[in-house]
Amino acid sequence: MSLQSLLAEHGAEWLEECLYLDPAHARAYAADAYAFDSQPPPAVFLPRTQTELQRVVKACVEHDLPMAPRGAGTGLSGGCVSREGAVQIGCSRLRRIVEIDPLDRIAVVEAGVVNLELSQEARRWGLYFAPDPSSQIASTVGGNFAENAGGPHTLKYAVTRAHVLGIRMIDAEGEWVELGGPHAPMPGGDLLGLHCGAEGTLGIVAELILRLSPRARAVYTVLAAFDEAEDAADTVAAIVAAGVVPAAMEFIDRVVLRAVEEAFELGLPVEAGAVLLVEVEGSAAAVAAEKERVLHECRSHGVRQLREAGEERERARLWKARKHAFGALGRLAPRYATQDGVVPRAEVPAIVRRVGEVARAHDLTIGIVLHAGDGNLHPAILYDDRDPRSVRAALDAGHEILEACISLGGSPTGEHGVGLEKRDFLDRLWSGYELEQMAQLRQVFDPQERCNPAKLLPSGAGCGEGRPRHRRGILP
Amino acid sequence: MKHLSSPGLHREAFRREVELCYEARQPLTWGEGDRSATGSRTRVRAPAGVVDHWPEDLVVRVGAGSTFAEVDDFLRPWELELGVLLPQPDRTTLGGAFARGEGGMTGGGARSLRELALSALLVEGRGRPLELGTRVVKNVAGYDLLRPHFGAGGAWGGLCELVVRSRSRPPSRMLRWSESSPQEALGRLQQLRDRGSTTTVGEWWLDAAALARLGLEGRGGWFLLAEGSEQEVGAWADAVGGEESTDALPILRDLGWTESSAVLVRVFASTRECFEGDPAFASGGGGRGWIHDAATGVNRWILADLSDLDRVSRRLGPMASRAFVDRGPIPAATRPAGGRTAEWKGRLRQIYDPGEIFPPLPTPLGP
Ligand SMILES: Cc1cc2nc3c(=O)[nH]c(=O)nc-3n(C[C@H](O)[C@H](O)[C@H](O)COP(=O)(O)OP(=O)(O)OC[C@H]3O[C@@H](n4cnc5c(N)ncnc54)[C@H](O)[C@@H]3O)c2cc1C
Ligand SMILES: Cc1cc2nc3c(=O)[nH]c(=O)nc-3n(C[C@H](O)[C@H](O)[C@H](O)COP(=O)(O)OP(=O)(O)OC[C@H]3O[C@@H](n4cnc5c(N)ncnc54)[C@H](O)[C@@H]3O)c2cc1C
């Protein structure tokens, strides 16, 4: 069976509006935001309705075609890139906000709804969708669910999973399945929680029931500049130890800071070794108390400058330094690769040091942005894609940083997923037996491996052989 | 509560018990659960005690047999707590609550035990240990194998240890209540929400029968719980009005748990369904009281005895498919559930429990 047989059998009528076979579409859908891999899909489907989506999936099942689901393509691990001849099934046209129920603080939305659009819509009830990946201006809630996306505010409000109450999805056989509902997860085994973060390998999500959160009454944002990156890193742990869990606590190092300043002229303290962007929010009284504790910890760690956001405009300017950080890096080198690793919070100073060592060893410039409260680091490795040695060095440096995350008790991905990029990294973290369990689990939901083939698990998962584990042993 | 002196030995003992049951094809049950269904089942208890603590990361690793009260006592010197409000914290274990799918009665989303649990050491049906996840607070690389076990009743494995997040102990907590009939309930909730904002961590409506158990009179009433600094909670109290209810929280939390003759049913329903959709809810259902939990969507229905269960499940109509007997003699009905999810759950059982020795998955009252 093949794509040709699907086309022949179904004729062109219903497909006409949602199937694209031209080279321009194939090129446009060949990659996501991960720079090192691309593959034009043999066909791109962009269904306009959920019914059409199911028809497409059913047709693929009948003709034994693998499928790669896609949201906005902002993924940073090659998660939606076609492999093994998978056709691309894009959900970006499924953009209906079906319902917002302000009483139960629930939104029912289609998978292609853009994250920020939902929060803007919910604003009139004083509500918003808490997960806020820095890509929220473009990424879809379906993609956020599939990656279990985080963001700067994950520190206080947790990852996407905590904000998804239910989904309506099409499984690998083309059938509708509903998991969860407009209430807390019920007993009977939390399959919804398992599907969140499964990177599109267990089915295609068409609709979601999302939890909305009340907007805080008061917000206080401060940019704290430190001479040494280590001081900024130490301050992170100290703030949490002082009993404050800020809504966000972002670390930006000198490399990134300078690039942002050059690009946007925000008046940032470019001579600093690193800055922390700290935000506390809640009631006015809570914010007043937490603000004092945050400032106290910054001062006791030798802060050189504090820039407080008095009003919304200034706050937006400070956040621009963070949210546009990667865009600004484009000015410093022809290319950059954003990595994603996570360490226990207390190891943040150690990983910051290690990244510096890796950069020196490979003679590369590496900028660091960190969701510091979560220990989730995004080193941006600058390289020149015209120079194969530079490309090699960037890849090696990225891997060494991830190795360091694992050996510090962390993980090679905090929020960008495994996708294509980190498949062969998993056996550094898990034993062969644990990987075998994951492979078996996949078989439960998609025995033919039709949904997003060759993603998330190592190519040899299930064979029981793994490279030596770096994770600290806890089993006998 | 103390650190487990030699966690390795406890792990091995727990694992070995499962392995022995598997070899003998001897059915088992976990903790204190499934009293009515136990019969000849061997009871396997997870270890209790702290395995590791990383206060600077707000993460603690404990034996799954530890109770909430024990863990909170352990965390107190660091001014930390789990912050999960559940009935009988001095008897309820972390493993039991996780397996029952009990997230806690406050906050919903991020504060649910479902989200606080980062990873676990599980023993599957052949007695093999499996490490599910890591201790970092973000995503798991690969499938998050811990998730299916939330609410699985131990049907797919025994939780030996759990790694959970802790949080700073709030300096102040306050419960306030104000009377409201079921008819006024929705409007009043909206008003309270508008005034209370983010400081409110719990919202419960109690019917007249439940209120009476708290020694209060009325047609029903909203209870709101706030946490934060004294100043913050003080400002909140001024905004929401009502009366402070100083001793009611433990009673409200444990309603239906402390009486041996009561059956407790958890119903998963939205606020609108409770007050508008189903007259049985609005009229209190004729039981011994019900609590609607607006923050988490998990409602508790207290019944006099099992014969009420039939009547209630009929009155609940379609909502019965979202109602679970939470405490009390659980009816033996093991309904064969249909559909794709049942098929998946069956396959998971084949993987995790090939000897069919584990307790069954919790099933709802209705079809
Ligand atoms: C500048 C920038 C900043 C970023 N910041 C963050 C951040 O702060 N936090 C963070 O977590 N991520 C971040 N990301 C990564 C990315 O934006 C997130 O992973 C996002 O959730 C992906 O959403 P998407 O709609 O673009 O999905 P895609 O990239 O299209 O797909 C991502 C994965 O989800 C699957 N998928 C998509 N839609 C569906 C569906 N409907 N059903 C089933 N599977 C589906 C795909 O198969 C793929 O595996 C950032 C990316 C960029 C470029
Ligand atoms: C039928 C019944 C009647 C009760 N009556 C009273 C009473 O009259 N008065 C009173 O004060 N208290 C009563 N209780 C509460 C009881 O005494 C304990 O306080 C309570 O059961 C302990 O709860 P637990 O969280 O440890 O879970 P358990 O009750 O031990 O178990 C709950 C569920 O979780 C599963 N489970 C437990 N541990 C694990 C694990 N480690 N791994 C995997 N799955 C696990 C079990 O199989 C079960 O499905 C009753 C409990 C039950 C079940």
Side-chain angles (χ1 to χ4, degrees):
Chain A
M1 293 288 204
S2 65
L3 184 60
Q4 278 64 36
S5 67
L6 183 155
L7 297 179
E9 193 167 307
H10 286 266
E13 208 180 314
W14 72 271
L15 284 172
E16 214 165 69
E17 298 290 333
C18 74
L19 171 64
Y20 300 87
L21 294 163
D22 56 297
H25 271 86
R27 266 198 310 278
Y29 287 83
D32 60 5
Y34 172 58
F36 294 109
D37 219 319
S38 68
Q39 174 72 54
V44 177
F45 290 92
L46 298 173
R48 294 157 304 169
T49 62
Q50 295 187 37
T51 313
E52 216 164 76
L53 174 66
Q54 191 200 19
R55 253 175 133 171
V56 168
V57 176
K58 276 228 175 254
C60 290
V61 173
E62 271 171 41
H63 294 269
D64 205 16
L65 283 172
M67 304 164 272
R70 182 185 181 102
T74 67
L76 282 163
S77 56
C80 64
V81 174
S82 166
R83 274 293 184 276
E84 301 187 0
V87 298
Q88 185 99 97
I89 301 188
C91 297
S92 56
R93 285 180 173 176
L94 302 175
R95 282 180 86 143
R96 257 181 345 126
I97 296 181
V98 180
E99 187 195 345
I100 289 184
D101 175 350
L103 182 67
D104 275 317
R105 295 174 172 160
I106 283 171
V108 182
V109 301
E110 288 189 328
V113 166
V114 169
N115 175 304
L116 189 61
E117 282 175 13
L118 172 60
S119 285
Q120 282 164 346
E121 187 66 25
R123 195 180 191 104
R124 73 173 88 155
W125 292 281
L127 301 172
Y128 75 114
F129 182 50
D132 65 336
S134 304
S135 59
Q136 68 179 155
I137 192 166
S139 64
T140 65
V141 292
N144 297 163
F145 175 82
E147 295 286 4
N148 192 14
H153 290 82
T154 301
L155 177 56
K156 186 162 183 174
Y157 300 109
V159 280
T160 300
R161 187 184 54 235
H163 305 275
V164 181
L165 292 162
I167 56 168
R168 183 172 137 84
M169 59 174 263
I170 303 169
D171 74 0
E173 300 298 321
E175 300 301 331
W176 285 114
V177 179
E178 288 182 12
L179 299 176
H183 32 66
M186 290 192 292
D190 183 9
L191 298 186
L192 174 67
L194 173 71
H195 277 67
C196 186
E199 302 188 18
T201 60
L202 304 181
I204 302 184
V205 179
E207 195 174 282
L208 303 95
I209 306 175
L210 302 175
R211 190 193 295 279
L212 299 175
S213 305
R215 281 181 188 275
R217 295 263 159 116
V219 183
Y220 168 77
T221 311
V222 63
L223 190 86
F226 296 84
D227 284 333
E228 301 298 332
E230 268 94 350
D231 291 337
D234 285 339
T235 309
V236 171
I239 288 176
V240 176
V244 181
V245 176
M249 189 148 51
E250 300 286 299
F251 171 107
I252 306 170
D253 82 344
R254 175 181 292 165
V255 173
V256 180
L257 204 60
R258 290 191 172 167
V260 174
E261 184 57 26
E262 256 179 50
F264 303 112
E265 294 181 9
L266 299 170
L268 299 171
V270 286
E271 62 293 346
V275 297
L276 283 183
L277 181 63
V278 186
E279 188 157 280
V280 290
E281 59 178 42
S283 67
V287 167
E290 294 193 341
K291 169 186 162 179
E292 286 315 315
R293 276 187 278 174
V294 167
L295 294 179
H296 173 78
E297 291 307 328
C298 289
R299 289 190 185 112
S300 24
H301 286 80
V303 70
R304 63 146 46 204
Q305 190 192 330
L306 288 164
R307 180 161 155 193
E308 302 179 66
E311 50 172 46
E312 185 56 35
R313 259 218 352 252
E314 175 63 359
R315 201 179 143 241
R317 275 172 79 81
L318 294 186
W319 270 106
K320 197 167 177 180
R322 169 61 187 90
K323 296 228 170 182
H324 293 260
F326 291 129
L329 284 170
R331 303 166 70 90
L332 300 188
R335 286 262 175 191
Y336 67 91
T338 312
Q339 262 306 349
D340 167 41
V342 57
V343 294
R345 190 184 295 119
E347 304 291 359
V348 164
I351 194 70
V352 168
R353 267 195 308 278
R354 182 74 190 117
V355 172
E357 288 161 12
V358 170
R360 281 190 294 280
H362 290 278
D363 198 17
L364 288 168
T365 302
I366 304 182
I368 307 179
V369 175
L370 243 160
H371 302 306
D374 296 327
N376 184 188
L377 107 146
H378 296 315
I381 306 168
L382 309 187
Y383 69 100
D384 183 348
D385 57 342
R386 296 159 302 189
D387 173 1
R389 273 177 316 170
S390 172
V391 174
R392 188 69 258 158
L395 281 167
D396 289 347
H399 286 180
E400 283 166 30
I401 293 170
L402 298 182
E403 292 272 9
C405 289
I406 296 173
S407 57
L408 287 167
S411 159
T413 167
E415 55 185 24
H416 295 169
V418 174
L420 277 175
E421 185 200 9
K422 291 174 185 166
R423 294 178 68 199
D424 291 319
F425 238 90
L426 261 56
D427 58 7
R428 261 87 145 186
L429 186 66
W430 305 114
S431 71
Y433 176 53
E434 285 149 358
L435 288 173
E436 191 185 306
Q437 291 289 317
M438 291 192 195
Q440 279 196 29
L441 194 108
R442 172 160 198 173
Q443 291 288 312
V444 165
F445 298 93
D446 181 13
Q448 312 295 328
E449 302 202 4
R450 276 195 198 107
C451 283
N452 222 2
K455 304 283 169 57
L456 189 78
L457 295 177
S459 20
C463 64
E465 289 297 316
R467 270 176 272 183
R469 274 191 294 163
H470 290 216
R471 188 155 51 88
R472 286 169 186 161
I474 43 117
L475 295 175
Chain B
M1 174 151 103
K2 295 265 161 8
H3 273 271
L4 267 178
S5 51
S6 42
L9 288 181
H10 290 281
R11 277 173 206 145
E12 178 51 20
F14 183 77
R15 190 203 65 73
R16 182 68 186 138
E17 274 193 82
V18 179
E19 192 176 54
L20 287 173
C21 286
Y22 172 65
E23 283 164 7
R25 295 298 188 273
Q26 163 63 34
L28 61 77
T29 188
W30 312 107
E32 306 305 320
D34 308 314
R35 287 186 191 185
S36 59
T38 44
S40 58
R41 284 178 183 268
T42 298
R43 198 172 285 286
V44 179
R45 289 187 176 84
V50 172
V51 179
D52 238 323
H53 183 214
W54 304 276
E56 65 287 7
D57 288 331
L58 304 183
V59 173
V60 60
R61 182 176 183 116
V62 298
S66 316
T67 67
F68 283 87
E70 283 170 334
V71 179
D72 277 341
D73 282 348
F74 172 84
L75 294 171
R76 201 180 301 270
W78 288 270
E79 291 292 322
L80 299 174
E81 62 169 22
L82 295 174
V84 179
L85 185 70
L86 276 176
Q88 305 274 287
D90 50 346
R91 304 182 66 173
T92 302
T93 64
L94 269 74
F98 191 87
R100 263 204 307 251
E102 264 283 19
M105 296 167 73
T106 43
R111 279 191 63 170
S112 162
L113 179 62
R114 177 187 188 235
E115 297 308 320
L116 297 183
L118 299 171
S119 62
L121 177 64
L122 180 102
V123 174
E124 53 81 273
R126 295 174 200 79
R128 295 191 206 158
L130 250 178
E131 186 66 23
L132 315 177
T134 65
R135 73 173 167 102
V136 290
V137 299
K138 282 239 165 141
N139 259 343
V140 166
Y143 293 115
D144 191 342
L145 296 178
L146 172 61
R147 299 303 142 199
H149 299 278
F150 182 74
W156 296 326
L159 296 157
C160 179
E161 291 168 13
L162 272 167
V163 180
V164 285
R165 294 170 86 144
S166 63
R167 55 182 219 127
S168 294
R169 188 174 277 278
S172 178
R173 268 199 180 105
M174 192 191 285
L175 183 71
R176 297 186 81 82
W177 87 285
S178 55
E179 209 218 353
S180 120
S181 70
Q183 291 72 29
E184 298 157 358
L186 287 184
R188 180 85 184 117
L189 174 64
Q190 200 53 60
Q191 276 173 7
L192 290 168
R193 279 203 177 149
D194 288 348
R195 290 189 211 138
S197 186
T198 45
T199 315
T200 312
V201 296
E203 296 168 323
W204 305 280
W205 190 83
L206 272 60
D207 72 356
L211 264 188
R213 287 153 168 254
L214 271 68
L216 296 168
E217 270 181 38
R219 297 160 297 166
W222 278 107
F223 284 74
L224 299 189
L225 180 68
E227 287 175 358
S229 66
E230 273 176 28
Q231 201 187 2
E232 185 184 3
V233 171
W236 170 86
D238 291 342
V240 299
E243 265 176 66
E244 186 172 354
S245 180
T246 37
D247 309 321
L249 191 59
I251 312 174
L252 189 156
R253 184 195 64 199
D254 292 353
L255 274 189
W257 275 82
T258 39
E259 294 154 70
S260 51
S261 63
V263 177
L264 196 68
V265 180
R266 255 189 303 169
V267 185
F268 292 73
S270 69
T271 304
R272 214 170 278 289
E273 276 175 305
C274 290
F275 291 103
E276 286 182 346
D278 195 284
F281 258 101
S283 62
R288 290 195 187 178
W290 69 270
I291 307 175
H292 164 60
D293 185 335
T296 67
V298 186
N299 309 292
R300 280 153 209 277
W301 205 319
I302 305 151
L303 302 173
D305 56 46
L306 261 195
S307 62
D308 272 354
L309 206 56
D310 260 0
R311 189 169 57 85
V312 163
S313 61
R314 274 198 307 276
R315 287 183 76 171
L316 277 173
M319 261 201 280
S321 65
R322 288 185 260 134
F324 292 79
V325 175
D326 199 37
R327 217 229 72 193
I330 297 162
T334 37
R335 220 168 291 99
R340 186 54 58 98
T341 47
E343 204 179 306
W344 288 341
K345 287 174 182 178
R347 288 190 211 151
L348 283 171
R349 178 145 205 142
Q350 284 165 14
I351 296 178
Y352 286 122
D353 183 21
E356 302 195 5
I357 56 172
F358 291 158
L361 271 180
T363 47
L365 284 181

